[in-house]
Amino acid sequence: MTESVNPKELVWVASSRRDLRDCPRQVRRTFGVALFAAQLGETPPGAKPLKGFGGASVLELMEDYDRGTYRAVYTVRFAEKVYVLHVFQKKSKRGIATPKHEMEIIRERLKIAQRMHRGRN
């Protein structure tokens, strides 16, 4: 007999859902499977803690497709929900670091997620 797991609610912050829809189909599929694993309480293969957020509660998914690199950032900081903070195509060709502008968006959306979680939009 297998144990039934209720998935955590997936919450899209700001334009993250629309941004995912704008990604190529293969990228959407890969991120969708990974986010579902996160909803089940698993850490998806390839998910890495995003540097600068103190621990493993903000994670980043990466997918290379057609000479482009796509990233999805989500947080598992809250027990019953997974908040998708940002989905974007990395445009910079210098290094693997997340660009400063994208990090600012992620930080702001994490604040939004915290307010949403407390019931205050």
Side-chain angles (χ1 to χ4, degrees):
M1 189 191 261
T2 60
E3 184 178 326
S4 176
V5 176
N6 290 329
K8 298 176 183 180
E9 181 182 353
L10 191 64
V11 180
W12 302 91
V13 179
S15 65
S16 59
R17 188 174 199 164
R18 183 174 55 247
D19 297 337
L20 180 63
R21 285 188 189 134
D22 290 341
C23 292
R25 179 180 294 194
Q26 179 179 326
V27 174
R28 290 193 316 262
R29 185 173 295 131
T30 300
F31 287 168
V33 168
L35 290 169
F36 185 66
Q39 286 180 271
L40 296 176
E42 301 170 11
T43 300
K48 300 185 320 185
L50 187 59
K51 291 180 182 174
F53 289 90
S57 65
V58 177
L59 295 121
E60 179 177 46
L61 303 167
M62 288 181 271
E63 178 72 10
D64 291 326
Y65 178 78
D66 193 29
R67 295 180 297 196
T69 299
Y70 297 84
R71 297 188 180 189
V73 179
Y74 66 97
T75 185
V76 293
R77 188 170 285 183
F78 312 105
E80 58 279 341
K81 296 182 182 182
V82 174
Y83 288 86
V84 181
L85 303 174
H86 193 29
V87 178
F88 62 99
Q89 181 177 7
K90 184 176 178 290
K91 305 243 194 264
S92 170
K93 301 299 179 201
R94 293 180 307 207
I96 61 170
T98 303
K100 184 180 178 199
H101 170 72
E102 305 297 351
M103 291 296 285
E104 290 169 2
I105 291 171
I106 293 163
R107 280 192 183 87
E108 186 57 38
R109 290 184 179 179
L110 182 59
K111 291 176 189 174
I112 292 169
Q114 289 169 327
R115 287 193 302 269
M116 291 170 74
H117 191 73
R118 289 193 299 255
R120 299 180 305 162
N121 293 349

